[in-house]
Amino acid sequence: MAAKVLDQDSKLDLLLKKMEDVDRKQEASEKRREQSEEKSRADFLALKVAVESRFPEVEKRVDLLQESVLDLQEQVDKLQSLVKSFPAASGDGKLNSSSFSPTTPKDHSVSLSGILAGSARISGNVPPMCCPQFDGDNPQMWKSNCEEYFEIYGVHPRNWVRVAGLNFSGNAAFWLQSMRPKLVGVTWQEFTNQVCLRFTKDRKEVLIRQWFHIAQDSSVSEYVEKFDGIMHQLLAYSSSLPLNYFVTKFVEGLKPAIRSGVLMQKPQDLDSACSLALLQEEILEGSCSARSIVAPSGKTIS
């Protein structure tokens, strides 16, 4: 009897151990399943991020493709209209002379090569010109000139950055060379923003320093030329300064002898102040010449 009980106990212990092994295996399997699900979710999220990061580039390329298609369609339409404008052939294969009647003139001034090159936008005879050069000075003017050039010669917008970059020189060329890896695929607006951000700050600081120290150290005409150049460059950065500010700044920079005469006239605009300064300089020079004339008695005539 005791042997049977011991045998049953051993079997029960063995059964319990097997159940524990099964539970451990189930737990391990469940853990592996959870780890696999977490890894799958992480891989899916990484794939989603990678795909979404490509969306802007894909959309940009789609936009460029649409522009190219529209440009090609426009060129095809122009070619078709040009072909239709040629005189039709008669049944025997010869051109119909009635098509050349002086009462129905045809305009064949646009060539096929001009249409294919996109130069049909040019009106009239435009002489050949080089793309505006940029050496780091006045980036706003350079940007405006480039856009005018591209519009006149029908350069496609996707080529604006490359064409403009070929015409950088000096420090601007060195800067562009160092920035090329960061400028791959940028639009014209993004490119010009980078150029203006880099070269506007330094140039503006130089102009402000020159503006603070500007004063007449030679003739009035030379002072006017220097003052006018710095003023218009500053206005390119900010056009909110009032007119009387420039008038006051101009008068304060004149030599004392000339400034006193101009202040007495109270000029209301810059042109009047310049004219008064030139007139005052002429009067002072005339006075000096008169005092330098020596009378026959040896005395100076005042």
Side-chain angles (χ1 to χ4, degrees), residues 276-300:
L276 290 171
L278 290 168
L279 182 60
Q280 184 68 14
E281 181 184 47
E282 185 178 348
I283 292 173
L284 291 175
E285 289 177 352
S287 299
C288 292
S289 299
R291 284 196 298 268
S292 64
I293 298 175
V294 180
S297 60
K299 296 181 179 180
T300 302

Side-chain angles (χ1 to χ4, degrees), residues 47 56 60 99 110 116 121 138 192 194 209 230 232 259 272 274 302:
L47 179 62
K60 185 183 294 185
S99 301
V110 181
L116 294 176
R121 299 178 187 176
N138 205 336
T192 53
Q194 289 287 337
R209 286 195 296 270
I230 299 177
H232 283 98
R259 181 171 62 243
S272 300
C274 293
S302 59

Side-chain angles (χ1 to χ4, degrees), residues 204-224:
K204 188 175 182 180
E205 290 176 354
V206 171
L207 288 172
I208 291 174
R209 286 195 296 270
Q210 292 177 351
W211 183 252
F212 282 151
H213 297 93
I214 189 170
Q216 181 190 357
D217 53 8
S218 55
S219 65
V220 172
S221 59
E222 292 178 355
Y223 172 62
V224 169

Side-chain angles (χ1 to χ4, degrees), residues 134-272:
F134 181 65
D135 58 1
D137 188 30
N138 205 336
Q140 284 85 1
M141 181 181 294
W142 163 80
K143 176 186 175 185
S144 300
N145 290 341
C146 280
E147 291 172 353
E148 289 288 340
Y149 176 86
F150 296 148
E151 181 66 24
I152 290 174
Y153 284 95
V155 181
H156 196 281
R158 66 170 175 266
N159 295 323
W160 287 12
V161 174
R162 286 186 292 177
V163 174
L166 293 174
N167 292 277
F168 275 42
S169 61
N171 291 332
F174 293 126
W175 171 83
L176 181 62
Q177 184 178 8
S178 65
M179 291 292 292
R180 280 193 187 278
K182 300 179 181 179
L183 297 176
V184 176
V186 298
T187 63
W188 172 251
Q189 187 63 41
E190 294 169 344
F191 176 67
T192 53
N193 286 343
Q194 289 287 337
V195 172
C196 292
L197 181 64
R198 168 62 182 83
F199 293 98
T200 297
K201 181 180 178 182
D202 295 342
R203 180 58 182 165
K204 188 175 182 180
E205 290 176 354
V206 171
L207 288 172
I208 291 174
R209 286 195 296 270
Q210 292 177 351
W211 183 252
F212 282 151
H213 297 93
I214 189 170
Q216 181 190 357
D217 53 8
S218 55
S219 65
V220 172
S221 59
E222 292 178 355
Y223 172 62
V224 169
E225 183 178 356
K226 182 168 63 173
F227 185 93
D228 188 68
I230 299 177
M231 179 187 71
H232 283 98
Q233 291 184 67
L234 284 175
L235 286 174
Y237 296 104
S238 175
S239 58
S240 60
L241 294 173
L243 177 62
N244 56 358
Y245 168 76
F246 293 105
V247 176
T248 303
K249 180 66 176 176
F250 174 80
V251 175
E252 289 298 322
L254 292 168
K255 291 180 179 179
I258 299 176
R259 181 171 62 243
S260 59
V262 174
L263 285 173
M264 291 177 61
Q265 302 298 324
K266 297 181 179 180
Q268 299 299 314
D269 54 63
L270 197 56
D271 289 338
S272 300

Side-chain angles (χ1 to χ4, degrees), residues 79-119:
L79 282 171
Q80 290 177 346
S81 62
L82 184 62
V83 171
K84 291 179 181 179
S85 67
F86 282 104
S90 60
D92 56 358
K94 297 181 180 180
L95 292 176
N96 189 351
S97 60
S98 62
S99 301
F100 294 93
S101 172
T103 59
T104 58
K106 302 291 183 179
D107 182 11
H108 305 300
S109 59
V110 181
S111 64
L112 292 176
S113 60
I115 294 176
L116 294 176
S119 60

